[in-house]
Amino acid sequence: MSACLTLLNRRVAGSCCRVWRGVPRQLAHIRSASVAEPGMRRSDEEHLWEAAGYLPFSRAKIGSFFQERPVLKNPFLEDALLRGYLRRHLPQEAAFSDLCAFGERVANEVDDWGRECEVTPPRLVHFDPWGRRVDHIVTSPAWKHMKDLSAQEGLVAIGYERSFGEWSRVYQMSKLYIFSPSSGLYTCPLAMTDGAAKVIQSIGVSWPTDEAYSRLTTRQPDRFWTSGQWMTERQGGSDVGSGTETVAVPQTDGSYKLHGFKWFTSATDADMTLTLARIQDRTGATTPGSRGLSLFYAEVSRDEEGRLKGIEVQRLKDKLGTRQMPTAELLLDGLQLSEEGRGVASIANMLTITRIHNSVSAAAAMRRVVQLARDYATRRSAFGKPLKDHPLHIQTLARMEVETRGAFLLVMDVCRLLGREESGMATQLDTHLLRLLTPVVKLYTGKQAVAVVSEGLESFGGQGYIEDTGLPGLLRDAQVLSIWEGTTNVLSLDVLRCVARSSGMVLHAYVTHAKVQGASSVSSLAPAVKAVNSALSELEDFVQVAATRAPGYLELAARDLAYSLARIYTGRFCIHVFPLYSFIRWCEHDLCPVATKQARGCYDPSTPPLDAALVYDRPV
Ligand code: UCC
């Protein structure tokens, strides 16, 4: 008995002291007894407790309380901001009913496929059973469903059909916004597919890319193609211009064979790709730098025995997230190419599209985690009341919500600008804004997505850290958003570059557009108007000062400048679209951090050596 009682004491004391409060006297006596009753088995012990009604875990072993899970409801119907935005700009019944039906499909069908993609990641089969090299990338059935669904729902096609004129991109991106967090990362191949269609369209749709264009933009699942974007090599993910080693060797028939190593190729099961290479002249020489790069189109095909033509898949990448999607290292060995293009400048069109897709996915990840967290807050009780009745918890959700709203409005405005440009409606101001805001929205939302999704996981307590809730995957997948398609710093420098190349015209367009004209007719909004306009003035002052400094000054300020551009522009929406309270929350941010830090001397010439000393912990 003593062994059993010791065991019992340990278990009860260790698991839940509160059980002892009000324990029947005879059991309390047993607990405190130090005398053993040899031979008493564990089941006897349990029986004793159960008879006294004190072992809720004795029968089921897991107790009777089960926490309700957060429920994913129709993401379109759950998103008042999205519906409000569309009602304002695209009040078309056809778009609403399509988005509503798609939202239903996402919640009831697609989300499960997304989970299946996560738990059944792609694998690479190098050899067939007889030893022949085949390099098959085996993907899950769910991943294939996603491809068919993408065609049927027109997730790329909508942008090219332009049924809603200048609002077609907003409509397309709204659909992707609903889809993205449930898509098992299928939004990645779709982003590149959209980007490739855009590049082909801008170069001019002619043989042999006319067929590709029609397949990239079709709604027929059996014809639909996805495209890759093979840019990154071992020497250059960001510095594409000097890092690209792949060479294109001219063939007598006018085509090229490509030899090189592509270090990150996302969604490598694509049907075609756009890629960069240096054309060799007769002596084998190539031109260095980005001027030496040409854009090539290649179809990914297999021979009769299933072997990839001209490509070897070295291995699949082992990644933190985006595990649903194959990312491979490819050895290009004589890949037959058809068309020479215009290098970096041509692929920049693709980057614009993929960066906008990236921003849509970032806003969507934030929206999804907020939707789940607010649902969960109604189902989970702690400290005697539902989470939704804890003011601090709701304050946290409100901060996530306002960040999500800001991201959504910024992203949708860039989609609006893209739609205007593509439908021939864009003014010069729109074109400048689109160029400036594309890197800004990508870098800002990518970073915020990680912060909001991370906060979101915390709102589920420990469950947010448990794999099969599906929640940790949201964070892992969010982390890539600030990395691929240009890191935060690379894009901050892109902002500077487009300001310089346009001789400041993009900034001029920004200031003109962002300034809130006149005093607000609603007096309660006056402080908000004042806050945005004065942040804008601070920004202008910063630019005036920075223009007189050495180039290194602007480089140090680049990230803060990009953040300022994002926050001020979003603040402007807060006034027009948000209730005033959202604006107050938005102003918890410093709207113009670049001015604040300038005033503190953060970009002075003394800072780089001081930073280096700090980082490497050595005296200057
Ligand atoms: O491939 C990757 C992963 C694929 C997965 C995609 C899915 C994402 C969506 C997911 C949704 C869920 S990641 C690849 C990551 N790498 C990058 O993003 C590259 C980052 N680096 C840059 O962006 C650099 O700034 C470069 C490579 C563009 C800079 O190269 P250069 O050689 O210095 O280029 P330049 O000299 O600045 O510009 C060359 C030409 C100029 O035009 P021209 O010759 O007419 O004067 C520029 O104006 O390109 C033009 N250009 C641009 N045009 C350069 N950047 C842009 C731009 N952003 N927009 C328009």
Side-chain angles (χ1 to χ4, degrees), residues 292-312:
L293 290 176
S294 290
L295 178 69
F296 291 93
Y297 157 82
E299 290 173 18
V300 181
S301 56
R302 292 180 179 271
D303 65 19
E304 303 79 49
E305 292 178 5
R307 284 180 296 226
L308 272 173
K309 285 191 195 166
I311 302 174
E312 278 182 16

Side-chain angles (χ1 to χ4, degrees), residues 180 185 187-189 191-192 229-232 237-241 264 266 289-291 342 344-346 348-349 351-352 354-355 357-358 361 435 439 481 483-487 490-491 494 497 501:
S180 177
L185 251 287
T187 40
C188 171
M192 296 187 292
Q229 168 198 318
W230 300 350
M231 285 179 71
T232 303
S238 298
D239 186 3
V240 176
F264 277 100
S266 295
S290 69
R291 298 282 158 204
R342 292 181 53 241
V344 172
S346 300
N349 269 319
L351 293 178
T352 298
T354 52
R355 286 170 183 172
H357 274 257
N358 197 91
S361 288
R435 176 67 184 95
L481 297 169
I483 299 176
W484 65 9
E485 296 308 302
T487 60
V490 164
L491 292 176
D494 188 47
R497 212 171 27 217
R501 290 220 168 123

